Amino acid sequence: MDYEVYRKVWESHVPIEFNLDGASENQTPYYSMLPRASYLCLHIPKVLRYFSQTSGGELVEIDAEAAWLEYNSVPLKTYYPIGVLFDMHKPKNAQVWTVNVRTSPRPPECHNVSKDVMERMFMQAVKEADYLKHKGEVINSMKAEQHVQLWKAVSQYNFDGLWAVIKPLMECSPTAPFFHIPIRLYVVGEPSFRQKAISPYDDGKQLVFSDAILRLAPNLIGQNGVEASHDFVCHGIPVPLNTPLVYLAKNLSYPDNFVHVIATPKG
Amino acid sequence: MSEKVTVLLQHVGDAPILKQKKFSVDRARTIAWFTQTIRKLMALEDNQNLFFYISQTFAPSPDHTFEALKDCYALTGGDVSNDHLVLHYSTTPAWG
């Protein structure tokens, strides 16, 4: 892992505007810069507190369990990393991403993600990623306190806490190479992400980002990526097609140990 | 190429035992859909949980499609047509 690169990626924030659905015209939006590596469900209580305190003099309590988020009439999956949602949904010509906070009955497919549920989902993703990279051996060799520390570092946004425990999960060596690269591709407009068992090497040759995209979305990239119809972005960064997959996994993984890549149509 | 994924269910702990253990699932379906379907089959109450696990190791994301799960985690039965995905299910968290 490259400390400088990983730290820079971790420190990246995105601007989000929250609007309360059904609020009076005088209600000002809640503006915030949120870390890409964090989760919306961790920040909703603060957003709701703001709306409770500013709603035209009378104090309105908003139940955190009843509130849900929506963009463009689509309920948001608040258990995806903020950076993933931002890269998927922010219009290309806008600086800020605008999210609606709704308190009307939530759609059946939009479950409430509490902090505890989020912790469980996060840890399961880490386990899946380690299963792909190391057959689950690293996560299983970690102590229960280290699992707790991993989530604590993410939920409290503490880089040093994260760095102290995440390194063994993110590393590989010539004697213990990654078996597969945990990479998920989100094609804008598709309901689910794409994922395949992608090895970092083929016949001793190091595979690169375009090899992974060719496996995941051959129709979007064309021959050698020259005719690619989409941009492929991770943490808001267009990923060079010749980036080695091992480098991506080591340095551009989100804290859940997956490399989340968003494909948006060019232009 | 087969449009369906063969899924074998194995119960863990006190989870209800289903008569049908083998399912043929459309590749585009997700774990979220499958969870709802099996919950109905088991007639689980709203306050009961249902968890699925792969390789007795981790619970896949609700958005995982069976196409992705098959590609990453299916066991081969000799040739591609015998590929199947083993899912353990439990009503309590089983592997962390």
Side-chain angles (χ1 to χ4, degrees), chain A residues 24-238:
Chain A
S24 72
E25 279 176 25
N26 306 331
Q27 176 68 57
T28 45
Y30 179 79
Y31 293 101
S32 62
M33 292 293 290
L34 296 181
R36 283 181 167 272
S38 188
Y39 294 90
L40 276 177
C41 53
L42 301 175
H43 302 275
I44 291 175
K46 203 173 170 189
V47 177
L48 294 180
R49 254 197 321 275
Y50 167 82
F51 284 126
S52 301
Q53 286 160 1
T54 56
S55 52
E58 75 193 89
L59 197 66
V60 185
E61 279 295 326
I62 303 166
D63 182 7
E65 281 188 25
W68 52 283
L69 303 182
E70 171 206 76
Y71 172 72
N72 232 352
S73 308
V74 180
L76 294 174
K77 291 172 177 166
T78 53
Y79 50 89
Y80 282 1
I82 289 173
V84 170
L85 292 170
F86 186 85
D87 290 339
M88 263 164 64
H89 296 300
K90 185 194 71 78
K92 278 203 169 152
N93 53 3
Q95 294 292 317
V96 179
W97 180 37
T98 307
V99 169
N100 286 322
V101 181
R102 306 207 47 173
T103 52
S104 56
R106 69 173 63 236
E109 75 277 11
C110 176
H111 296 285
N112 175 42
V113 181
S114 65
K115 203 178 164 192
D116 290 345
V117 170
M118 190 61 242
E119 177 177 2
R120 195 177 62 76
M121 293 178 89
F122 172 80
M123 285 312 300
Q124 295 303 327
V126 174
K127 284 184 180 189
E128 178 174 355
D130 193 56
Y131 184 79
L132 288 164
K133 286 193 281 193
H134 307 108
K135 298 260 192 266
E137 282 175 10
V138 177
I139 189 80
N140 288 336
S141 69
M142 286 167 71
K143 298 191 185 92
E145 303 96 82
Q146 292 175 306
H147 291 190
V148 174
Q149 196 185 337
L150 190 59
W151 171 248
K152 214 170 141 187
V154 172
S155 59
Q156 298 178 351
Y157 193 59
N158 173 353
F159 182 80
D160 293 335
L162 184 77
W163 183 255
V165 282
I166 204 168
K167 268 202 313 190
L169 289 163
M170 305 273 284
E171 289 293 2
C172 64
S173 67
T175 49
F178 291 147
F179 288 99
H180 294 107
I181 299 295
I183 181 167
R184 286 181 175 169
L185 180 71
Y186 303 74
V187 180
V188 169
E190 290 187 2
S192 299
F193 53 79
R194 303 185 188 191
Q195 186 180 319
K196 282 182 185 285
I198 292 172
S199 304
Y201 303 99
D202 181 25
D203 229 1
K205 184 176 144 265
Q206 184 150 254
L207 294 184
V208 295
F209 184 57
S210 60
D211 295 314
I213 299 300
L214 270 168
R215 287 275 320 277
L216 289 164
N219 54 328
L220 304 186
I221 186 165
Q223 280 295 319
N224 305 321
V226 181
E227 300 147 25
S229 59
H230 284 61
D231 291 317
F232 301 96
V233 166
C234 180
H235 295 285
I237 307 160

